[in-house]
Each structure stands twice: as structure tokens, then as C-alpha cells.
Amino acid sequence: MPEWKHYLIEISSGFVNVHFNDEGIFSLSLMRKGSILATPAAAAEEVELPWPELEQEMRGYFYGRPITGNYPLIMSGYSPWTLKILQLTKEIPYGQTLTYKQLAEKAGAPPAARAVGQALARNRTPVLVPCHRVVGQKGKLVGFTPGIDWKEELLELEGFACRE
């Protein structure tokens, strides 16, 4: 079994903690500056990212540039429904949004908007699987595991005018 590693990327508004092994990226955690988890001690072990362009792209993303790389994600542990929803979510273009209802319709299950939300809550790789691009009816910002403040920030970086 490959060894798990962590890599902390400093971004304009905090840090992205990348949890990975030689097979791919298992999770990304968004952390604000000042978080006890986002300190140099949390990344004391010197490791290198197998995808050096990921660090550049993450930093660029937080200055309004889209991520264009296709990074290997470890998708084991997800149900078939969650995998389907995450794949459809990856297809939402930069700067655009879908509602939970629209995503349920794309998945072939129009009444399953809540089930879409539950699937997205399991997303371990926000930004790379851009679940922040899924919004409530009329653009309402709801349901983002790292926090609604992060969702708002990510959408605004992509040029989406957030409204409540």
C-alpha cells in the first residue's frame, strides 16, 4: 500500500492541504490562515508533490485563473451514485453554475436534488471537483463542506456574482 503524504500550498486567503500518495490525490482541505492545522508544523515532513504544476495552478486559481490540469484523483470509497454526481460536477465549466435540481436532472433523477447535495457533501477534492459551482435555486449559496464563505470566495474568483 502506498504511503500517504501531505503537502501544504499557501494561497492568497489561506492554505490548501493536499493529501496524496503515488497513485493520486485523495483529498484537498481548504484552511484559513491562522488555523492551527495550517501551520508549518503541520507540514514538517519535507515532501514533494508528484505534480509540481498543481501548486502553480492552485495559486493561480486563487488569483482568478482556471485550473487546466487533469490530476489523478483517488475515487475509491464512493458509491456509484456519488461517483456519477462527482463526474457530472467536474464537467461544470469554470465561471458557470448549476443548481442541485439541474444536476439531478443531468444525472437522470429529477426529484433527487437532496441526494445530489448529499453526494457532493462527500466530495474530498473541492476545487478539482468543483462542487462550489452547484448552488441552490436562484443562485442561493448553500451546502459546501469547507464553509459557505469559501464557496462564495471561489465563485467570486470565477466571476460569479453571489447573491442571497
Side-chain angles (χ1 to χ4, degrees):
M1 168 120 42
E3 177 185 350
W4 291 107
K5 300 172 186 170
H6 293 272
Y7 190 86
L8 208 57
I9 300 172
E10 187 168 4
I11 55 173
S12 58
S13 54
F15 298 89
V16 177
N17 186 15
V18 184
H19 186 199
F20 66 98
N21 65 24
D22 294 335
E23 295 174 10
I25 299 166
F26 182 76
S27 67
L28 295 178
S29 302
L30 301 173
M31 300 176 288
R32 295 285 181 201
K33 290 186 178 174
S35 163
I36 193 158
L37 299 174
T39 62
E45 181 187 344
E46 285 293 319
V47 299
E48 290 186 23
L49 270 176
W51 319 277
E53 63 281 3
L54 175 63
E55 183 169 9
Q56 292 175 309
E57 285 209 281
M58 266 303 158
R59 287 190 176 134
Y61 178 82
F62 284 89
Y63 285 100
R65 293 189 297 272
I67 292 176
T68 58
N70 187 16
Y71 300 99
L73 304 179
I74 297 172
M75 303 299 276
S76 58
Y78 290 126
S79 71
W81 169 255
T82 298
L83 283 170
K84 182 176 191 173
I85 295 302
L86 295 179
Q87 184 56 47
L88 289 169
T89 301
K90 280 182 75 172
E91 296 169 7
I92 303 171
Y94 180 89
Q96 295 182 29
T97 61
L98 288 178
T99 65
Y100 291 91
K101 181 180 178 181
Q102 288 171 322
L103 195 52
E105 289 168 353
K106 280 186 163 285
R114 287 183 190 217
V116 166
Q118 291 169 343
L120 293 177
R122 292 176 180 86
N123 179 18
R124 297 184 302 248
T125 52
V127 181
L128 295 179
V129 177
C131 57
H132 62 279
R133 296 180 188 151
V134 182
V135 297
Q137 292 296 322
K138 299 179 184 166
K140 185 173 171 79
L141 301 185
V142 294
F144 190 58
T145 302
I148 295 297
D149 61 324
W150 276 110
K151 186 171 196 163
E152 182 175 16
E153 181 177 338
L154 298 177
L155 288 171
E156 287 177 352
L157 284 168
E158 295 186 18
F160 183 78
C162 297
R163 55 195 177 272
E164 284 297 316

